[in-house]
Amino acid sequence: MSATLRLGSDDAVYLLVGRERYRIAPDDLRGLIFHGHAVPVTREGPAIVGHAAVNPAGRAVKVFTVSGHFIVPLVSFRRVAAGEARSAPLFPLVPEGWP
């Protein structure tokens, strides 16, 4: 399943996963990127359907949604959130200990 990260015209970051569209609000981006706080991921409307957090090493953002779990390098996430990059791929997150 392909998944992409994009910046919306409302300055929110959108995760496009298959036919699903998830959103990280602009107000939450600062806490995620600069402070490493876990933030909610919503679907169209106010329903929280997951969360995003910086990994313990501080080099990637892990995104957990009802459609799956993904990872993206923090540098790529920052570039998209700042509008420096148009999009970035989200990679499927394989659970630790997976063969």
Side-chain angles (χ1 to χ4, degrees), residues 9-94:
S9 60
D10 59 353
D11 291 331
V13 169
Y14 287 88
L15 295 80
L16 309 172
V17 181
R19 293 182 182 207
E20 297 293 328
R21 183 175 165 160
Y22 301 99
R23 179 179 188 266
I24 299 174
D27 294 341
D28 293 328
L29 290 173
R30 182 181 232 44
L32 174 65
I33 294 172
F34 297 109
H35 304 291
H37 298 158
V39 297
V41 174
T42 59
R43 197 174 300 176
E44 296 299 319
I48 296 174
V49 292
H51 71 279
V54 176
N55 74 339
R59 290 188 256 160
V61 174
K62 292 181 178 180
V63 181
F64 301 91
T65 71
V66 294
S67 295
H69 310 304
F70 304 93
I71 192 165
V72 61
L74 180 58
V75 67
S76 297
F77 190 96
R78 281 184 177 169
R79 290 187 68 215
V80 170
E84 296 171 3
R86 186 172 179 90
S87 65
L90 292 167
F91 301 99
L93 181 62
V94 179

